[in-house]
Amino acid sequence: MASVPVVPLWVCGVATQLLSLSLASFGQTLQRYSHRAKSSQALLKGGGISLFVVSGPISMTSYLWAPISSITVLGALRSPLLAILALWFLGEKIDGKCWHGICLSVAGSWFGVLSAPKEKLHPLSNPMEFYTPAVVAYLSAVVPSYLVMLVVVMRSMKFKQMIWTIPFLSAVSFNVQVLYSDVVGRLSLTGFEGPRFWSQPSAVFVVFVIAATALLQLQLSVVGVDHHPPHRLIPVANGLSAAITFVQSVFVVHEFENISN
C-alpha cells in the first residue's frame, strides 16, 4: 500500500493564510459596496464585517503551523485581489502604474515566502519563556507609544488622514497579535496541559492580548473602509506590516538565526 505523502506544516500555514486573506478582502469590499446599495446597506455591511471577523481566527491559526516571516509577507497578495474586486464591484479604475506595483509586490511576497524559515522557533513549555530581553525591550517601547498615539489619533481623526493613520495603527496592532499567536504555536509543539495550563495568569494574558488586538483591528477596519476604498487602504497596511515583521523577525524573535543563506 502506497504511503500517503505528508504535507509540511508550513504549507498548511500558507494555505490557511491565503484563505483568510481572501475572506478578509471579500468582506471589506462588500462593506464598501454597501454604501451604494441603499435598500440593503445594513445587510451587506453586516455580511462584509462578518466575513472579516471570520478571517481573523483563520489567520491566527496559520501562525500555529508556520513562522511569522513566512506568513505575514503573504499580505501583499491582497493587492491584486482587492484591485480586481474594486474593478468588478466598486467600479474603480486602476491605472498601469498601480498594476506594475501590484506585480512587484506579488513577486516580492512569493520570494519572501520561499526564502523565509520553514520551521518554527524552539518550543515553549511556558508562556513566560517568550519574554526574552529583546522581546521585553521591544514591547516596552512599542506598546506605550502605540496606546498614546491611538488615543491622540482617534480623538482628532480626520478622514483624509485615515489613508495613513488607520493602516499604521492596524499594522502595529496586527504584529503584536502575531507575536502572541506565535507564542501559542510554539507552546503547541510541546502540548498543552489542559484547563489547568490555561488558568495560569501568563497564559490568560496571551489570550487576552490576541483577543484585544483582534477587536482593535476590527474597529480600525470598519472605520477605515467606511471612508476609503479597501484597495487603497489595505496595501498601505500590508507594506507597513511587512516592514514591522522584518524588524520583529530579525531583531526581536531571531527567526533567521538558523538560516545559513
Side-chain angles (χ1 to χ4, degrees):
M1 183 177 178
S3 60
V4 179
V6 178
V7 178
L9 284 179
W10 78 273
V11 174
C12 295
V14 169
T16 304
Q17 184 67 9
L18 290 176
L19 173 60
S20 172
L21 296 178
S22 300
L23 290 174
S25 298
F26 278 105
Q28 290 175 314
T29 301
L30 187 60
Q31 178 192 340
R32 184 68 182 178
Y33 179 76
S34 69
H35 292 274
R36 304 185 180 186
K38 300 299 182 182
S39 60
S40 56
Q41 181 176 9
L43 180 62
L44 291 173
K45 183 174 181 178
I49 293 175
S50 297
L51 285 176
F52 184 81
V53 171
V54 170
S55 72
I58 297 175
S59 175
M60 292 304 101
T61 301
S62 66
Y63 290 95
L64 300 179
W65 296 324
I68 297 172
S69 51
S70 294
I71 296 299
T72 306
V73 293
L74 288 171
L77 298 180
R78 291 190 66 187
S79 296
L81 179 55
L82 286 169
I84 293 172
L85 292 174
L87 283 171
W88 287 353
F89 294 103
L90 303 180
E92 298 280 351
K93 294 182 179 180
I94 313 296
D95 61 31
K97 291 182 179 180
C98 289
W99 284 114
H100 291 157
I102 288 171
C103 291
L104 289 174
S105 66
V106 170
S109 176
W110 280 113
F111 176 79
V113 171
L114 296 176
S115 60
K118 304 299 185 295
E119 301 292 335
K120 296 189 72 63
L121 293 172
H122 61 82
L124 299 176
S125 58
N126 188 292
M128 295 304 298
E129 295 178 7
F130 163 69
Y131 296 102
T132 63
V135 170
V136 172
Y138 176 75
L139 292 177
S140 298
V142 169
V143 174
S145 303
Y146 177 83
L147 293 176
V148 171
M149 185 178 301
L150 178 65
V151 172
V152 172
V153 168
M154 297 306 288
R155 283 185 175 181
S156 60
M157 180 64 74
K158 296 180 180 179
F159 297 149
K160 291 183 178 180
Q161 296 174 346
M162 285 185 181
I163 196 65
W164 297 108
T165 54
I166 291 291
F168 177 77
L169 292 172
S170 179
V172 175
S173 63
F174 171 75
N175 278 274
V176 172
Q177 183 186 45
V178 163
L179 277 180
Y180 281 88
S181 298
D182 186 60
V183 171
V184 177
R186 291 166 65 185
L187 286 169
S188 68
L189 298 176
T190 57
F192 301 124
E193 300 175 9
R196 181 179 300 178
F197 175 82
W198 288 107
S199 64
Q200 300 179 44
S202 58
V204 172
F205 183 72
V206 169
V207 176
F208 169 77
V209 171
I210 294 174
T213 50
L215 290 174
L216 177 58
Q217 289 172 67
L218 173 62
Q219 178 64 26
L220 291 171
S221 173
V222 171
V223 173
V225 174
D226 271 345
H227 297 94
H228 288 281
H231 71 282
R232 298 178 184 174
L233 198 69
I234 306 306
V236 179
N238 290 336
L240 293 171
S241 291
I244 297 172
T245 296
F246 173 79
V247 174
Q248 289 185 170
S249 298
V250 176
F251 301 106
V252 181
V253 297
H254 308 292
E255 279 192 338
F256 292 84
E257 62 183 3
N258 295 323
I259 294 183
S260 57
N261 296 318

